[in-house]
Amino acid sequence: MNTERSQLYYTCVFLHVSFQAIQNSVATSPRRDDTPCWLDAQTLRMLLNELQRCRQEAAPFKAVSQPLDTAIYHCGLLMAQCPAALNRQLCQHHLAAVMAPLKEATAQLSGSASRTSDSHVPSPSQRLRSWLGG
């Protein structure tokens, strides 16, 4: 993994873990589910800025750009309603929608996405053998 790709990988990991920590904090809050979610908007703004910077640096990596665009979109939706305009469940939904593409971007950067997708897609000869029972 070259240096630029490695830096992007660790930035995506950092972002994923950060959003996951926020989601865990929301999930374990003693407030009821129907109460407004009070996230720290400054922390979210900092993470959104870092996500946008990461996206700019990921421009040469086409497979990573789309998931990062999706994460930015969902983070923007969360920021537009934050703080206190969301209940905890919807807040958690938005956080999960940010984390999923970050996880995908991390897998793309590590190279594991192509390896796992290749290993799950049987070749035509493998499909024929399984169909024939051999």
Side-chain angles (χ1 to χ4, degrees), residues 8-22 44 47-48 50-55 58 63-75 94-110 112-113:
L8 282 171
Y9 171 81
Y10 287 113
T11 300
C12 287
V13 168
F14 163 77
L15 288 165
H16 185 268
V17 168
S18 297
F19 281 105
Q20 189 173 39
I22 292 169
L44 284 177
L47 290 173
L48 178 59
E50 186 65 18
L51 189 53
Q52 290 169 331
R53 185 189 65 75
C54 182
R55 170 55 181 94
V64 178
S65 297
Q66 181 59 44
L68 291 177
D69 285 339
T70 303
I72 289 169
Y73 171 77
H74 285 288
C75 190
H94 280 301
L95 289 167
V98 172
M99 289 186 307
L102 282 171
K103 188 174 183 177
E104 180 183 340
T106 302
Q108 289 290 338
L109 287 166
S110 72
S112 66

Side-chain angles (χ1 to χ4, degrees), residues 71-84:
I72 289 169
Y73 171 77
H74 285 288
C75 190
L77 287 176
L78 177 60
M79 287 294 300
Q81 301 174 58
C82 196

Side-chain angles (χ1 to χ4, degrees), residues 29-48:
S29 171
R31 296 176 178 217
R32 295 187 342 244
D33 282 346
D34 61 343
T35 58
C37 177
W38 287 94
L39 288 181
D40 179 4
Q42 287 181 322
T43 300
L44 284 177
R45 171 62 55 199
M46 184 268 311
L47 290 173
L48 178 59

Side-chain angles (χ1 to χ4, degrees), residues 79-93:
M79 287 294 300
Q81 301 174 58
C82 196
L86 299 171
N87 65 31
R88 285 184 1 172
Q89 290 176 326
L90 190 54
C91 180
Q92 288 179 311
H93 171 76

